[in-house]
Short mmCIF file of all heavy atoms in Angstrom, two decimals:
data_model
loop_
_atom_site.label_atom_id
_atom_site.label_comp_id
_atom_site.label_asym_id
_atom_site.label_seq_id
_atom_site.Cartn_x
_atom_site.Cartn_y
_atom_site.Cartn_z
N ASN A 702 -26.70 57.55 -11.81
CA ASN A 702 -26.04 57.55 -10.53
C ASN A 702 -26.99 57.55 -9.38
O ASN A 702 -26.69 57.21 -8.28
CB ASN A 702 -25.13 58.77 -10.38
CG ASN A 702 -23.95 58.74 -11.30
OD1 ASN A 702 -23.52 57.67 -11.73
ND2 ASN A 702 -23.27 59.88 -11.56
N ASN A 703 -28.23 58.04 -9.64
CA ASN A 703 -29.33 58.14 -8.64
C ASN A 703 -30.65 58.26 -9.37
O ASN A 703 -30.70 58.34 -10.60
CB ASN A 703 -29.01 59.30 -7.71
CG ASN A 703 -28.87 60.63 -8.42
OD1 ASN A 703 -29.57 60.92 -9.43
ND2 ASN A 703 -27.83 61.41 -8.09
N ASN A 704 -31.75 58.28 -8.57
CA ASN A 704 -33.04 58.51 -9.07
C ASN A 704 -33.44 57.57 -10.24
O ASN A 704 -34.13 57.92 -11.17
CB ASN A 704 -33.20 59.95 -9.58
CG ASN A 704 -33.30 60.94 -8.43
OD1 ASN A 704 -34.01 60.70 -7.50
ND2 ASN A 704 -32.55 62.04 -8.57
N ALA A 705 -33.13 56.25 -10.07
CA ALA A 705 -33.54 55.24 -11.01
C ALA A 705 -35.07 55.13 -11.04
O ALA A 705 -35.64 54.85 -12.13
CB ALA A 705 -32.90 53.89 -10.72
N TYR A 706 -35.72 55.32 -9.94
CA TYR A 706 -37.19 55.26 -9.83
C TYR A 706 -37.78 56.34 -10.78
O TYR A 706 -38.76 56.05 -11.51
CB TYR A 706 -37.60 55.42 -8.39
CG TYR A 706 -39.10 55.61 -8.24
CD1 TYR A 706 -39.98 54.54 -8.29
CD2 TYR A 706 -39.66 56.91 -8.07
CE1 TYR A 706 -41.36 54.73 -8.16
CE2 TYR A 706 -41.01 57.08 -7.96
CZ TYR A 706 -41.88 56.00 -8.01
OH TYR A 706 -43.19 56.19 -7.88
N LEU A 707 -37.25 57.53 -10.69
CA LEU A 707 -37.70 58.64 -11.51
C LEU A 707 -37.52 58.35 -12.96
O LEU A 707 -38.45 58.59 -13.81
CB LEU A 707 -37.00 59.90 -11.14
CG LEU A 707 -37.36 61.17 -11.89
CD1 LEU A 707 -38.75 61.63 -11.44
CD2 LEU A 707 -36.36 62.29 -11.64
N LEU A 708 -36.39 57.76 -13.28
CA LEU A 708 -36.08 57.42 -14.71
C LEU A 708 -37.08 56.33 -15.22
O LEU A 708 -37.61 56.45 -16.31
CB LEU A 708 -34.62 56.92 -14.82
CG LEU A 708 -34.14 56.43 -16.14
CD1 LEU A 708 -34.42 57.49 -17.25
CD2 LEU A 708 -32.67 56.01 -16.11
N ARG A 709 -37.25 55.27 -14.44
CA ARG A 709 -38.18 54.19 -14.91
C ARG A 709 -39.59 54.76 -15.02
O ARG A 709 -40.33 54.29 -15.87
CB ARG A 709 -38.12 53.01 -13.91
CG ARG A 709 -36.85 52.17 -14.00
CD ARG A 709 -37.07 50.84 -13.35
NE ARG A 709 -35.83 50.16 -13.16
CZ ARG A 709 -35.08 50.22 -12.05
NH1 ARG A 709 -35.52 51.00 -11.03
NH2 ARG A 709 -33.98 49.60 -11.94
N THR A 710 -39.98 55.66 -14.16
CA THR A 710 -41.33 56.19 -14.22
C THR A 710 -41.45 56.98 -15.56
O THR A 710 -42.53 56.89 -16.22
CB THR A 710 -41.57 57.20 -13.03
OG1 THR A 710 -41.44 56.47 -11.81
CG2 THR A 710 -42.98 57.80 -13.11
N TYR A 711 -40.47 57.69 -15.94
CA TYR A 711 -40.46 58.40 -17.24
C TYR A 711 -40.56 57.39 -18.32
O TYR A 711 -41.36 57.56 -19.31
CB TYR A 711 -39.16 59.20 -17.43
CG TYR A 711 -39.04 59.83 -18.82
CD1 TYR A 711 -39.67 61.00 -19.22
CD2 TYR A 711 -38.32 59.11 -19.80
CE1 TYR A 711 -39.55 61.44 -20.50
CE2 TYR A 711 -38.19 59.55 -21.11
CZ TYR A 711 -38.82 60.76 -21.43
OH TYR A 711 -38.71 61.19 -22.73
N LEU A 712 -39.77 56.33 -18.32
CA LEU A 712 -39.77 55.30 -19.34
C LEU A 712 -41.17 54.63 -19.46
O LEU A 712 -41.71 54.49 -20.52
CB LEU A 712 -38.74 54.19 -19.01
CG LEU A 712 -37.28 54.62 -19.04
CD1 LEU A 712 -36.40 53.47 -18.59
CD2 LEU A 712 -36.87 55.16 -20.40
N LYS A 713 -41.84 54.36 -18.32
CA LYS A 713 -43.17 53.79 -18.29
C LYS A 713 -44.14 54.73 -18.97
O LYS A 713 -44.97 54.34 -19.78
CB LYS A 713 -43.52 53.51 -16.84
CG LYS A 713 -44.98 53.16 -16.63
CD LYS A 713 -45.26 52.91 -15.11
CE LYS A 713 -46.71 52.95 -14.79
NZ LYS A 713 -47.29 54.27 -14.89
N ASP A 714 -44.13 56.02 -18.57
CA ASP A 714 -45.06 57.00 -19.06
C ASP A 714 -44.86 57.29 -20.54
O ASP A 714 -45.76 57.85 -21.20
CB ASP A 714 -44.93 58.27 -18.31
CG ASP A 714 -45.38 58.12 -16.81
OD1 ASP A 714 -46.08 57.13 -16.55
OD2 ASP A 714 -45.07 58.98 -15.99
N ASN A 715 -43.71 56.93 -21.11
CA ASN A 715 -43.43 57.23 -22.52
C ASN A 715 -43.31 55.98 -23.42
O ASN A 715 -42.70 56.07 -24.52
CB ASN A 715 -42.16 58.13 -22.59
CG ASN A 715 -42.43 59.53 -22.05
OD1 ASN A 715 -42.88 60.36 -22.87
ND2 ASN A 715 -42.11 59.73 -20.80
N GLY A 716 -43.81 54.87 -22.91
CA GLY A 716 -43.96 53.72 -23.81
C GLY A 716 -42.74 52.85 -23.98
O GLY A 716 -42.61 52.08 -24.90
N TYR A 717 -41.69 53.03 -23.11
CA TYR A 717 -40.47 52.25 -23.17
C TYR A 717 -40.66 50.93 -22.47
O TYR A 717 -41.46 50.85 -21.47
CB TYR A 717 -39.30 52.96 -22.58
CG TYR A 717 -38.79 54.12 -23.42
CD1 TYR A 717 -39.31 55.41 -23.21
CD2 TYR A 717 -37.81 53.94 -24.41
CE1 TYR A 717 -38.86 56.53 -23.98
CE2 TYR A 717 -37.35 55.03 -25.14
CZ TYR A 717 -37.90 56.32 -24.93
OH TYR A 717 -37.48 57.36 -25.69
N LYS A 718 -39.93 49.85 -22.87
CA LYS A 718 -39.98 48.56 -22.21
C LYS A 718 -38.59 48.28 -21.70
O LYS A 718 -37.56 48.79 -22.26
CB LYS A 718 -40.47 47.54 -23.14
CG LYS A 718 -41.89 47.80 -23.64
CD LYS A 718 -42.32 46.83 -24.71
CE LYS A 718 -43.69 47.13 -25.24
NZ LYS A 718 -44.11 46.18 -26.34
N ILE A 719 -38.44 47.33 -20.79
CA ILE A 719 -37.14 46.98 -20.18
C ILE A 719 -36.62 45.73 -20.92
O ILE A 719 -37.24 44.65 -20.85
CB ILE A 719 -37.27 46.73 -18.72
CG1 ILE A 719 -37.74 47.94 -17.98
CG2 ILE A 719 -35.88 46.33 -18.15
CD1 ILE A 719 -36.89 49.20 -18.09
N GLN A 720 -35.51 45.82 -21.57
CA GLN A 720 -34.90 44.69 -22.25
C GLN A 720 -33.96 43.91 -21.31
O GLN A 720 -33.87 42.66 -21.38
CB GLN A 720 -34.08 45.18 -23.46
CG GLN A 720 -34.98 45.83 -24.51
CD GLN A 720 -34.12 46.39 -25.68
OE1 GLN A 720 -33.21 47.21 -25.45
NE2 GLN A 720 -34.31 45.90 -26.87
N TYR A 721 -33.29 44.63 -20.44
CA TYR A 721 -32.37 44.03 -19.49
C TYR A 721 -32.07 45.00 -18.34
O TYR A 721 -32.05 46.26 -18.56
CB TYR A 721 -31.03 43.72 -20.17
CG TYR A 721 -29.97 43.05 -19.31
CD1 TYR A 721 -30.09 41.71 -18.89
CD2 TYR A 721 -28.96 43.78 -18.78
CE1 TYR A 721 -29.17 41.17 -18.02
CE2 TYR A 721 -27.99 43.21 -17.93
CZ TYR A 721 -28.16 41.89 -17.57
OH TYR A 721 -27.27 41.30 -16.72
N GLU A 722 -31.80 44.48 -17.21
CA GLU A 722 -31.44 45.27 -16.01
C GLU A 722 -30.43 44.55 -15.21
O GLU A 722 -30.44 43.30 -15.15
CB GLU A 722 -32.66 45.63 -15.15
CG GLU A 722 -33.59 46.65 -15.70
CD GLU A 722 -34.78 46.85 -14.84
OE1 GLU A 722 -35.46 45.93 -14.41
OE2 GLU A 722 -35.09 48.08 -14.59
N GLU A 723 -29.60 45.29 -14.49
CA GLU A 723 -28.65 44.68 -13.51
C GLU A 723 -28.23 45.73 -12.57
O GLU A 723 -28.00 46.89 -12.95
CB GLU A 723 -27.48 44.09 -14.28
CG GLU A 723 -26.49 43.40 -13.39
CD GLU A 723 -25.33 42.78 -14.16
OE1 GLU A 723 -25.35 42.73 -15.40
OE2 GLU A 723 -24.41 42.29 -13.48
N ILE A 724 -28.05 45.32 -11.31
CA ILE A 724 -27.44 46.19 -10.33
C ILE A 724 -25.96 45.82 -10.21
O ILE A 724 -25.62 44.66 -10.01
CB ILE A 724 -28.16 46.09 -8.97
CG1 ILE A 724 -29.55 46.69 -9.09
CG2 ILE A 724 -27.37 46.83 -7.90
CD1 ILE A 724 -30.43 46.57 -7.87
N ILE A 725 -25.14 46.85 -10.47
CA ILE A 725 -23.68 46.64 -10.48
C ILE A 725 -23.05 47.23 -9.22
O ILE A 725 -23.37 48.29 -8.84
CB ILE A 725 -23.06 47.34 -11.73
CG1 ILE A 725 -23.71 46.85 -12.99
CG2 ILE A 725 -21.58 47.13 -11.77
CD1 ILE A 725 -23.47 47.71 -14.20
N LYS A 726 -22.18 46.40 -8.59
CA LYS A 726 -21.44 46.87 -7.43
C LYS A 726 -20.06 47.23 -7.83
O LYS A 726 -19.30 46.29 -8.32
CB LYS A 726 -21.45 45.88 -6.35
CG LYS A 726 -20.88 46.37 -4.97
CD LYS A 726 -20.99 45.36 -3.87
CE LYS A 726 -20.48 45.82 -2.57
NZ LYS A 726 -20.57 44.82 -1.50
N GLU A 727 -19.64 48.47 -7.62
CA GLU A 727 -18.31 48.87 -8.04
C GLU A 727 -17.73 49.82 -6.98
O GLU A 727 -18.34 50.84 -6.66
CB GLU A 727 -18.38 49.59 -9.40
CG GLU A 727 -17.02 49.98 -9.99
CD GLU A 727 -17.21 50.66 -11.33
OE1 GLU A 727 -17.23 49.93 -12.32
OE2 GLU A 727 -17.29 51.87 -11.40
N SER A 728 -16.60 49.48 -6.39
CA SER A 728 -15.98 50.25 -5.30
C SER A 728 -16.95 50.56 -4.24
O SER A 728 -17.12 51.70 -3.75
CB SER A 728 -15.42 51.56 -5.94
OG SER A 728 -14.46 51.28 -6.89
N ASN A 729 -17.71 49.53 -3.81
CA ASN A 729 -18.67 49.61 -2.67
C ASN A 729 -19.81 50.59 -3.00
O ASN A 729 -20.50 51.09 -2.08
CB ASN A 729 -17.98 50.07 -1.36
CG ASN A 729 -17.11 48.97 -0.85
OD1 ASN A 729 -17.51 47.74 -0.87
ND2 ASN A 729 -15.91 49.25 -0.41
N HIS A 730 -20.07 50.89 -4.27
CA HIS A 730 -21.23 51.68 -4.64
C HIS A 730 -22.04 50.91 -5.68
O HIS A 730 -21.53 50.19 -6.50
CB HIS A 730 -20.77 53.00 -5.26
CG HIS A 730 -21.90 53.99 -5.51
ND1 HIS A 730 -22.26 54.86 -4.52
CD2 HIS A 730 -22.66 54.21 -6.56
CE1 HIS A 730 -23.30 55.58 -5.02
NE2 HIS A 730 -23.56 55.21 -6.27
N TYR A 731 -23.35 51.01 -5.54
CA TYR A 731 -24.28 50.30 -6.43
C TYR A 731 -24.79 51.19 -7.50
O TYR A 731 -25.16 52.35 -7.25
CB TYR A 731 -25.46 49.75 -5.65
CG TYR A 731 -25.10 48.67 -4.56
CD1 TYR A 731 -24.81 49.05 -3.28
CD2 TYR A 731 -25.04 47.37 -4.91
CE1 TYR A 731 -24.47 48.08 -2.32
CE2 TYR A 731 -24.68 46.38 -4.02
CZ TYR A 731 -24.41 46.79 -2.72
OH TYR A 731 -24.08 45.85 -1.78
N TYR A 732 -24.80 50.64 -8.73
CA TYR A 732 -25.35 51.35 -9.90
C TYR A 732 -26.41 50.47 -10.56
O TYR A 732 -26.25 49.32 -10.64
CB TYR A 732 -24.25 51.67 -10.91
CG TYR A 732 -23.16 52.55 -10.37
CD1 TYR A 732 -22.03 51.95 -9.77
CD2 TYR A 732 -23.19 53.91 -10.49
CE1 TYR A 732 -20.98 52.71 -9.29
CE2 TYR A 732 -22.21 54.73 -10.02
CZ TYR A 732 -21.09 54.13 -9.41
OH TYR A 732 -20.06 54.95 -8.94
N GLU A 733 -27.50 51.14 -11.03
CA GLU A 733 -28.51 50.45 -11.72
C GLU A 733 -28.36 50.58 -13.21
O GLU A 733 -28.43 51.69 -13.72
CB GLU A 733 -29.90 50.87 -11.26
CG GLU A 733 -30.10 50.63 -9.77
CD GLU A 733 -31.61 50.72 -9.37
OE1 GLU A 733 -32.43 50.07 -10.08
OE2 GLU A 733 -31.93 51.45 -8.43
N LEU A 734 -28.11 49.52 -13.96
CA LEU A 734 -28.01 49.51 -15.40
C LEU A 734 -29.38 49.11 -15.95
O LEU A 734 -29.99 48.15 -15.60
CB LEU A 734 -26.95 48.55 -15.84
CG LEU A 734 -26.66 48.47 -17.35
CD1 LEU A 734 -25.21 48.08 -17.60
CD2 LEU A 734 -27.59 47.46 -18.02
N ILE A 735 -29.85 49.93 -16.91
CA ILE A 735 -31.20 49.73 -17.52
C ILE A 735 -31.06 49.72 -19.00
O ILE A 735 -30.60 50.77 -19.56
CB ILE A 735 -32.18 50.79 -17.09
CG1 ILE A 735 -32.30 50.78 -15.57
CG2 ILE A 735 -33.55 50.55 -17.70
CD1 ILE A 735 -32.99 52.09 -15.01
N GLN A 736 -31.38 48.63 -19.70
CA GLN A 736 -31.42 48.68 -21.17
C GLN A 736 -32.89 48.67 -21.57
O GLN A 736 -33.68 47.87 -21.08
CB GLN A 736 -30.74 47.43 -21.79
CG GLN A 736 -30.75 47.48 -23.25
CD GLN A 736 -30.01 46.32 -23.93
OE1 GLN A 736 -29.57 45.43 -23.23
NE2 GLN A 736 -29.90 46.30 -25.24
N THR A 737 -33.25 49.67 -22.43
CA THR A 737 -34.67 49.92 -22.68
C THR A 737 -34.89 50.22 -24.16
O THR A 737 -34.00 50.73 -24.86
CB THR A 737 -35.18 51.09 -21.83
OG1 THR A 737 -36.60 51.27 -22.02
CG2 THR A 737 -34.46 52.38 -22.07
N SER A 738 -36.10 49.91 -24.67
CA SER A 738 -36.43 50.19 -26.04
C SER A 738 -37.95 50.28 -26.14
O SER A 738 -38.70 49.79 -25.26
CB SER A 738 -35.97 49.00 -26.89
OG SER A 738 -36.44 49.11 -28.21
N LYS A 739 -38.44 50.93 -27.16
CA LYS A 739 -39.84 51.03 -27.40
C LYS A 739 -40.33 49.81 -28.24
O LYS A 739 -41.55 49.57 -28.32
CB LYS A 739 -40.25 52.27 -28.13
CG LYS A 739 -40.11 53.52 -27.27
CD LYS A 739 -40.83 54.75 -27.91
CE LYS A 739 -40.85 55.91 -26.94
NZ LYS A 739 -41.56 57.08 -27.46
N HIS A 740 -39.40 48.99 -28.70
CA HIS A 740 -39.74 47.91 -29.65
C HIS A 740 -40.05 46.61 -28.94
O HIS A 740 -40.94 45.90 -29.36
CB HIS A 740 -38.61 47.72 -30.68
CG HIS A 740 -38.25 48.98 -31.40
ND1 HIS A 740 -39.16 49.72 -32.07
CD2 HIS A 740 -37.06 49.57 -31.52
CE1 HIS A 740 -38.51 50.79 -32.56
NE2 HIS A 740 -37.24 50.72 -32.26
N ASN A 741 -39.27 46.26 -27.96
CA ASN A 741 -39.49 44.98 -27.27
C ASN A 741 -38.96 45.04 -25.82
O ASN A 741 -38.16 45.87 -25.46
CB ASN A 741 -38.79 43.87 -28.01
CG ASN A 741 -37.30 44.10 -28.25
OD1 ASN A 741 -36.51 44.07 -27.29
ND2 ASN A 741 -36.91 44.42 -29.46
N GLY A 742 -39.41 44.03 -25.04
CA GLY A 742 -39.02 43.92 -23.63
C GLY A 742 -40.15 43.80 -22.67
O GLY A 742 -41.30 43.64 -23.10
N LEU A 743 -39.87 43.90 -21.45
CA LEU A 743 -40.92 43.75 -20.42
C LEU A 743 -41.58 45.11 -20.11
O LEU A 743 -40.89 46.16 -20.03
CB LEU A 743 -40.32 43.25 -19.07
CG LEU A 743 -39.73 41.85 -19.10
CD1 LEU A 743 -38.98 41.56 -17.76
CD2 LEU A 743 -40.87 40.80 -19.19
N LYS A 744 -42.89 45.15 -20.00
CA LYS A 744 -43.56 46.34 -19.70
C LYS A 744 -43.31 46.76 -18.32
O LYS A 744 -43.07 46.00 -17.44
CB LYS A 744 -45.10 46.15 -19.91
CG LYS A 744 -45.50 46.08 -21.34
CD LYS A 744 -47.04 46.03 -21.47
CE LYS A 744 -47.48 46.07 -22.91
NZ LYS A 744 -48.96 46.01 -23.05
N ILE A 745 -43.36 48.09 -18.12
CA ILE A 745 -43.25 48.68 -16.75
C ILE A 745 -44.66 49.01 -16.34
O ILE A 745 -45.22 50.00 -16.79
CB ILE A 745 -42.35 49.92 -16.73
CG1 ILE A 745 -41.02 49.67 -17.45
CG2 ILE A 745 -42.13 50.41 -15.29
CD1 ILE A 745 -40.21 50.91 -17.76
N ASN A 746 -45.27 48.19 -15.49
CA ASN A 746 -46.68 48.30 -15.23
C ASN A 746 -47.01 48.99 -13.93
O ASN A 746 -48.04 49.67 -13.87
CB ASN A 746 -47.31 46.90 -15.21
CG ASN A 746 -47.32 46.26 -16.57
OD1 ASN A 746 -47.74 46.86 -17.58
ND2 ASN A 746 -46.93 44.99 -16.64
#
Side-chain angles (χ1 to χ4, degrees):
N702 291 341
N703 53 44
N704 288 315
Y706 170 80
L707 180 72
L708 176 55
R709 286 198 195 91
T710 301
Y711 171 85
L712 296 175
K713 170 179 163 292
D714 293 343
N715 288 274
Y717 289 90
K718 300 173 183 177
I719 303 299
Q720 296 176 302
Y721 179 76
E722 288 177 309
E723 184 178 350
I724 292 177
I725 303 163
K726 188 177 182 181
E727 185 178 274
S728 301
N729 291 318
H730 189 87
Y731 295 92
Y732 299 90
E733 298 198 49
L734 182 152
I735 303 165
Q736 184 177 3
T737 182
S738 172
K739 287 194 174 184
H740 307 304
N741 56 71
L743 294 170
K744 285 186 177 181
I745 310 169
N746 292 313

